[in-house]
Amino acid sequence: MTGVEASVAASSSAAAAAAIVQAIKASGAIIRLEPEEFDKIMSKSEAPLVVTALGGFFTKQHQYLTNYKGLHFYCKSEVPIRLPSDAEVVQAKKIWIPN
């Protein structure tokens, strides 16, 4: 790799890192939960709004995102999670959570 190529690669990596930092700032804190803990949050919420998507590379995972008391909660599960009957569900094409 030449010096110019290395410089371009480093700039590209820095830009990607900056984009991730901006995404985290824009979305706020996202708390990742196990399905059992996500269920507890659902039981405390009255008429929760839940965004769902099917994701994963090799194995499909059901993904869930909701808000409770100003915090964002994210969960993924190999099997669908049973949501409350009063939940408003939005089916998304994809949920992207910054690392």
Side-chain angles (χ1 to χ4, degrees):
M1 185 180 296
T2 68
V4 172
E5 290 170 332
S7 177
V8 169
S11 295
S12 179
S13 294
I20 290 171
V21 168
Q22 285 303 110
I24 292 169
K25 285 180 183 178
S27 64
I30 300 172
I31 297 106
R32 293 175 195 235
L33 299 175
E34 293 298 320
E36 298 79 25
E37 293 299 316
F38 192 84
D39 187 50
K40 288 179 185 177
I41 294 294
M42 290 288 93
S43 68
K44 294 178 182 183
S45 301
E46 188 174 316
L49 173 63
V50 183
V51 179
T52 66
L54 190 61
F57 291 109
F58 300 111
T59 58
K60 292 298 178 190
Q61 299 248 331
H62 299 270
Q63 299 174 320
Y64 302 89
L65 182 65
T66 194
N67 184 295
Y68 179 70
K69 293 191 175 187
L71 296 172
H72 303 285
F73 294 93
Y74 170 76
C75 172
K76 59 184 175 180
S77 174
E78 292 181 4
V79 296
I81 294 175
R82 191 168 151 222
L83 298 173
S85 59
D86 63 343
E88 183 177 345
V89 179
V90 175
Q91 182 65 46
K93 184 175 180 179
K94 181 178 182 178
I95 296 176
W96 180 80
I97 303 294
N99 289 330

